[in-house]
């Protein structure tokens, strides 16, 4: 880890100090995004840490490598139990200039699945991960090394097909190398797009499979739907939702664990950079059984009203209140209430984002 | 049988003719209007943004990516106008024929002498500034006239068989704009309007050409909404200099300008189109220039 940290510091120092004169001729852009977040318990059941501080710092370098390829390097520092951990988020080479309508990434990247997983956490429309995302993908998302290919199908309507295969040694957020899986992880995401009046909608479907070294087979099926009405600078309306089902199978056993969850987040743009939305989270283990083999109803549900102040695309202040209920048949419900706060800012260039 | 064969041949020929058109995608409706003037029937032009839309802030929609993916030529304004959205569109379109520097890319801003080019240190503290110059140059009829020849050259490279047609169209359009500009300048001069307010710095080129001075913007800094203090400052300026006209680009609210008008006697607030198809009856660039000239010259008691 020390060697890696030294490497990262050296890389940042070298790139930052050279980018000033390298920028004009090479197209190198540097982006630094700082995400300050905090959570405070509003009742005794909340497991909030009652502290605020930098949650992550993302340093992204991107540029055309030559007339064919583009390169991206994203380094991140995270607060983990009070210690800043540096890690490589993304390092890939890619191109959209070799075969018409086709692009690819080769290296390490966040998998192009669902909706949230495409974006760094500081770009999300809310502070913390929805229950289903946290359970299936971790607090941030799933990144891995491999090859991802996207094809814009030449049809009269928008249809984008992404397929990818990655090492699959680890899944989600990990600081170790992991172990070689029985088969590499593979996935596919298909996106559509349609405009209905001023409302633009983008539905997508995802399939992901992983067969870990321990023999655990995971299948993930997802449906994501994003809708937007944007007028000038103002995002008048946003709808973001994802529905996921995860099936875990264990080698040598017929037992399956099936979990289903979703979140939906409608948000209205108010005035002068203010946005207000309410996220609804739900997650259940469909196959949970008691000692006698009877099914047990259970759920994790949360309601998260969120108020954001976004004076420009480069800064944001956000506050939310999370009311969560964990319910399992035969047990007392556990309710918790938490206040969450976030401030993000971007220094330097910031890559433009698609819809 | 012969009739059927003839029909098939006709269909085949029609399809070929359709294919022969250059498929042009532009980032703004003003650029689209310019391409239509020069390309005529030999081009099929689509603008990504509508005339009623602020081209600074555009969602990089997948439907736009589809359009760009099928384009033979992408015409953009440049000078960082589309920096917030065009790079992701190009990435998503996956069409190497229209990326920067390719044969199918034309950045109009590369061929003009821009106004308001900023030298020295700038930062985001100064608002949404365009360090390479103001990108609203197509509102100057004479710069548009000069760009006609640039467009004709590019279209001629893509379709050499129609090169002469494009050049001829450019010569005619440029000459017409020159004649009309002289008339418009005279019209505005006779109106006596010399100084006005605008909302954003969209009209800088138009006003400079017409010898009208914009002495203040409702936005305190580009892209930054007006503050009460700034409005009060503009009221003082208007009273002191006798400003009687505020032009507001019609994709912005007129509320702040009307607030100034309440305190300044005789102040007129006019919501004006700044893009082709930005208002009813604005189909061509000439319509747009005429509407702007009318908005200035028909204001009463202008200074």
């Amino acid at each position: 880890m020390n060697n890696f940290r030294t490497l990262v510091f050296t890389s940042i120092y070298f790139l930052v100090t050279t980018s000033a004169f390298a920028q004009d001729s090479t197209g190198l852009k540097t982006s630094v995004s700082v995400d300050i977040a905090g959570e405070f318990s509003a009742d005794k059941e909340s497991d909030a840490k009652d502290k605020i501080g930098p949650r992550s710092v993302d340093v992204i370098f991107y540029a055309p490598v030559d007339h064919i390829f583009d390169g991206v390097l994203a380094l991140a520092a995270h607060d983990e139990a009070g210690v800043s951990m540096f890690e490589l988020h993304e390092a890939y080479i890619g191109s959209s200039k070799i075969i018409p309508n086709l692009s690819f990434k080769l290296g390490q990247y966040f998998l192009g699945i669902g909706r949230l997983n495409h974006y760094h956490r500081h770009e999300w429309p809310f502070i913390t991960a929805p229950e289903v995302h946290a359970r299936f993908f971790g607090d941030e998302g799933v990144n891995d090394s491999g090859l991802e290919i996207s094809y814009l199908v030449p049809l009269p309507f928008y249809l984008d097909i992404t397929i990818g295969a990655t090492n699959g040694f680890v899944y989600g957020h990990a600081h170790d190398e992991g172990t070689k899986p029985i088969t590499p992880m593979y996935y596919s995401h298909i996106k559509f797009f349609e405009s209905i009046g001023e409302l633009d909608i983008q539905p997508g479907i995802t399939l992901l499979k992983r067969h870990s070294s321990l023999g655990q087979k995971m299948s993930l099926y997802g449906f994501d739907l994003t809708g937007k009405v944007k007028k000038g600078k103002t995002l008048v309306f946003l709808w973001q939702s994802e529905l996921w089902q995860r099936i875990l199978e264990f080698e040598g056993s017929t037992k399956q664990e099936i979990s289903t969850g979703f979140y939906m987040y409608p948000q209205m743009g108010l005035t002068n950079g203010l946005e207000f939305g309410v996220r609804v989270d739900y997650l259940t283990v469909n196959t949970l059984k008691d000692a006698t083999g009877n099914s047990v109803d259970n759920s994790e549900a949360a309601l998260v009203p969120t108020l954001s102040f976004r004076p420009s695309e480069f800064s944001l202040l956000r506050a939310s209140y999370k009311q969560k209920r964990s319910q399992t048949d035969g047990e007392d419900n556990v309710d918790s209430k938490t206040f969450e706060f976030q401030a993000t800012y971007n220094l330097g260039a910031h890559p433009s984002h698609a819809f | 049988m012969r009739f059927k064969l003839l029909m098939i041949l006709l269909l085949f020929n029609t399809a070929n003719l359709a294919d022969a058109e250059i498929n042009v995608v532009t980032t703004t409706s003003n650029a689209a209007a310019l391409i239509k003037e020069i390309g005529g029937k030999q081009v099929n032009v689509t603008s990504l943004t509508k005339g009623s839309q602020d081209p600074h802030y555009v969602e990089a929609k997948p439907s736009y990516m589809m359009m760009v993916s099928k384009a033979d030529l992408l015409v953009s304004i440049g000078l960082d106008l589309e920096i917030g959205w065009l790079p992701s569109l190009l990435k998503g379109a996956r069409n190497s024929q229209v990326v920067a520097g390719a044969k199918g890319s034309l950045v109009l801003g590369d061929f003009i002498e821009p106004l308001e080019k900023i030298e020295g240190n700038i930062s985001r503290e100064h608002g949404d500034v365009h360090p390479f110059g103001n990108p609203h140059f197509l509102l100057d009829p004479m710069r548009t006239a000069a760009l006609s020849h640039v467009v004709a050259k590019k279209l001629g490279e893509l379709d050499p068989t129609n090169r002469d047609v494009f050049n001829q169209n450019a010569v005619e359009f440029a000459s017409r704009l020159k004649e009309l500009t002289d008339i418009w300048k005279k019209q505005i001069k006779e109106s006596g309007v010399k100084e006005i307010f605008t909302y954003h710095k969209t009209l800088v080129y138009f006003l400079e050409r017409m010898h009208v001075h914009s002495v203040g913007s409702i936005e305190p800094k580009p892209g930054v909404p007006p503050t009460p203090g700034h409005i009060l400052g503009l009221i003082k300026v208007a009273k002191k200099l006798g400003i009687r006209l505020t032009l507001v680009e019609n994709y912005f609210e007129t509320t702040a300008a009307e607030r100034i008008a309440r305190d300044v006697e005789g102040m007129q607030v006019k919501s004006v189109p700044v893009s082709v198809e930005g208002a009813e009856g604005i189909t061509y660039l000439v319509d747009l220039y005429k509407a702007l000239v009318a908005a200035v010259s028909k204001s009463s008691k202008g200074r």
Side-chain angles (χ1 to χ4, degrees):
Chain A
M1 180 54 70
N2 280 339
N3 284 341
F4 179 62
R5 199 175 297 183
T6 309
L7 174 71
V8 168
F9 274 126
T10 312
S11 305
I12 293 173
Y13 177 78
F14 175 76
L15 286 163
V16 169
T17 52
T18 54
S19 63
F21 57 82
Q23 209 155 11
D24 288 338
S25 58
T26 68
L28 178 65
K29 299 265 169 71
T30 309
S31 167
V32 178
S33 301
V34 181
D35 182 10
I36 297 163
E39 52 178 19
F40 296 89
S41 46
D43 69 1
K44 61 181 180 173
E45 297 297 341
S46 170
D47 54 3
K49 289 174 185 165
D50 293 334
K51 64 182 268 199
I52 192 163
R55 180 168 60 170
S56 67
V57 176
D58 289 275
V59 183
I60 305 170
F61 304 99
Y62 57 103
V65 177
D66 53 28
H67 63 292
I68 292 179
F69 296 108
D70 298 313
V72 174
L73 172 66
L75 306 163
H78 291 265
D79 176 53
E80 289 194 14
V83 179
S84 285
M85 299 286 283
F86 273 92
E87 63 187 28
L88 184 66
H89 259 182
E90 297 188 285
Y92 63 84
I93 189 168
S95 179
S96 57
K97 296 169 189 163
I98 299 174
I99 300 171
N101 287 26
L102 186 137
S103 61
F104 75 89
K105 291 175 183 177
L106 177 65
Q108 183 173 315
Y109 51 83
F110 278 95
L111 274 49
I113 54 171
R115 176 73 188 179
L116 280 182
N117 209 70
H118 289 259
Y119 296 92
H120 294 125
R121 187 166 50 179
H122 66 265
E123 295 163 328
W124 290 0
F126 28 72
I127 301 172
T128 48
E131 297 296 322
V132 63
H133 188 92
R135 184 74 64 91
F136 294 173
F137 305 104
D139 286 334
E140 278 190 280
V142 176
N143 61 347
D144 200 0
S145 292
L147 173 69
E148 183 176 290
I149 297 170
S150 292
Y151 185 62
L152 178 61
V153 185
L155 290 170
F157 57 91
Y158 180 83
L159 173 64
D160 192 307
I161 299 173
T162 296
I163 54 169
T166 62
N167 294 332
F169 279 49
V170 293
Y171 180 79
H173 194 200
H175 286 289
D176 57 61
E177 191 189 11
T179 47
K180 185 181 173 183
I182 291 167
T183 57
M185 181 157 69
Y186 58 93
Y187 57 93
S188 171
H189 185 224
I190 300 173
K191 283 185 291 188
F192 305 87
F193 180 84
E194 191 57 65
S195 295
I196 305 163
E198 291 187 322
L199 174 67
D200 299 312
I201 55 167
Q202 183 174 273
I205 48 175
T206 297
L207 163 71
L208 181 146
K209 297 265 187 184
R210 180 171 185 260
H211 195 170
S212 78
S213 59
L214 300 171
Q216 185 194 64
K217 284 184 184 173
M218 179 177 73
S219 303
L220 266 169
Y221 305 95
F223 172 74
D224 56 279
L225 178 66
T226 303
K228 286 184 189 180
V229 176
K230 197 172 178 188
K231 286 185 182 170
K233 250 181 159 177
T234 311
L235 184 58
V236 179
F237 175 72
L238 167 71
W239 172 276
Q240 191 168 316
S241 56
E242 291 180 64
L243 168 67
W244 289 96
Q245 183 166 77
R246 184 179 70 180
I247 300 172
L248 296 176
E249 294 169 283
F250 307 91
E251 215 162 64
S253 163
T254 54
K255 196 180 155 193
Q256 277 190 335
E257 183 193 297
I258 302 175
S259 307
T260 308
F262 70 86
Y263 76 87
M264 52 187 179
Y265 182 68
Q267 177 190 279
M268 299 296 290
L270 305 172
T271 184
N272 295 327
L274 281 175
E275 297 164 347
F276 179 74
V278 179
R279 198 181 78 213
V280 179
D281 291 359
Y282 181 82
L283 177 68
T284 185
V285 181
N286 308 75
T287 49
L288 188 67
K289 290 187 170 39
D290 63 16
T292 58
N294 292 322
S295 293
V296 177
D297 279 347
N298 66 95
S299 66
E300 302 271 334
L303 202 63
V304 191
T306 302
L307 183 68
S308 306
F309 172 56
R310 194 191 299 272
S312 76
E313 62 197 288
F314 308 110
S315 65
L316 169 90
L317 296 176
R318 183 174 279 152
S320 66
Y321 171 73
K322 183 175 184 179
Q323 182 155 353
K324 183 177 167 184
R325 168 167 288 188
S326 303
Q327 172 265 324
T328 307
D329 258 7
E331 295 175 18
D332 290 339
N333 292 343
V334 179
D335 292 316
S336 67
K337 294 163 187 167
T338 307
F339 290 110
E340 299 171 333
F341 300 96
Q342 183 186 27
T344 69
Y345 58 92
N346 297 302
L347 305 175
H350 197 63
S352 64
H353 284 299
F355 182 81
Chain B
M1 185 64 190
R2 276 185 186 173
F3 178 73
K4 279 183 183 172
L5 271 172
L6 186 66
M7 288 304 289
I8 290 167
L9 279 171
L10 271 174
L11 279 171
F12 182 74
N13 278 340
T14 312
N16 269 354
L17 279 176
D19 286 343
E21 283 181 355
I22 306 171
N23 191 18
V24 185
V25 172
T26 66
T27 55
T28 69
S29 59
N30 287 351
L34 173 60
I35 302 298
K36 279 178 194 165
E37 294 284 358
I38 312 305
K41 289 177 183 170
Q42 278 72 39
V43 297
N44 174 32
V45 190
T46 314
S47 169
L48 294 174
T49 56
K50 293 175 188 165
S52 55
Q53 215 175 341
D54 183 350
H56 297 85
Y57 309 106
V58 175
E59 187 74 51
K61 295 182 191 181
S63 51
Y64 296 167
M65 291 173 190
M66 270 179 64
M67 291 180 202
V68 177
S69 76
K70 293 171 185 167
D72 301 312
L73 174 63
L74 174 67
V75 181
S76 58
I77 298 297
L79 303 179
D80 278 359
L81 178 72
E82 304 101 338
I83 195 165
W85 52 278
L86 192 56
S88 21
L89 275 191
L90 280 167
K91 196 173 159 194
R94 287 155 266 190
N95 179 355
S96 60
Q97 302 304 309
V98 297
V99 296
K103 192 180 176 184
S105 166
L106 176 61
V107 184
L108 295 172
D110 292 349
F111 298 90
I112 59 130
E113 189 54 46
L115 296 177
E116 299 185 331
K117 199 171 173 179
I118 300 168
E119 305 289 343
N121 283 334
I122 53 157
S123 71
R124 289 194 192 127
E125 193 185 2
H126 301 99
D128 292 339
V129 288
H130 296 283
F132 305 114
N134 187 307
H136 306 288
F137 49 81
L138 284 178
L139 290 177
D140 171 12
M142 292 316 295
R143 280 185 173 81
T144 302
L147 285 169
S148 301
H149 303 290
V150 174
V151 169
K153 190 178 172 211
K154 177 55 81 176
L155 292 177
E157 283 171 19
L158 294 171
D159 180 7
T161 54
N162 285 306
R163 184 176 287 147
D164 291 344
V165 177
F166 301 138
N167 286 335
Q168 184 59 29
N169 288 348
V171 168
E172 284 171 14
F173 185 55
S175 155
R176 191 166 152 232
L177 284 180
K178 190 176 178 317
E179 279 171 31
L180 286 168
T181 303
D182 290 340
I183 296 168
W184 292 330
K185 280 161 85 171
K186 198 177 161 195
Q187 211 172 319
I188 287 180
K189 192 178 177 186
E190 284 169 1
S191 74
V193 177
K194 288 179 185 164
E195 292 176 328
I196 65 166
F197 288 158
T198 59
Y199 188 96
H200 182 70
K201 292 193 166 186
T202 314
L203 292 159
V204 165
Y205 290 94
F206 173 78
L207 296 174
E208 194 231 18
R209 181 65 59 193
M210 301 299 160
H211 304 303
V212 176
H213 188 207
S214 173
V215 289
S217 300
I218 305 285
E219 287 179 332
K221 291 173 183 176
V224 177
T227 58
H230 183 67
I231 298 284
L232 289 174
L234 288 175
I235 290 170
K236 279 183 191 168
V237 172
K239 285 179 176 172
K240 189 180 168 190
L241 299 178
I243 308 297
R244 295 294 178 264
L245 177 62
T246 303
L247 296 183
V248 179
E249 298 86 337
N250 67 358
Y251 41 72
F252 292 122
E253 296 286 333
T254 53
T255 320
E258 279 158 7
R259 171 68 192 84
I260 295 169
R262 279 211 300 274
D263 277 23
V264 180
E265 201 186 336
M267 173 68 86
Q268 286 185 298
V269 176
K270 291 189 178 180
S271 178
V272 292
V274 287
S275 300
V276 168
E277 292 174 359
E280 209 173 316
I282 311 291
T283 312
Y284 302 101
L285 280 165
V286 168
D287 298 334
L288 179 63
Y289 302 140
K290 277 182 182 169
L292 291 172
V293 170
V296 177
S297 63
K298 289 181 183 168
S299 63
S300 58
K301 297 176 187 173
R303 191 187 146 169

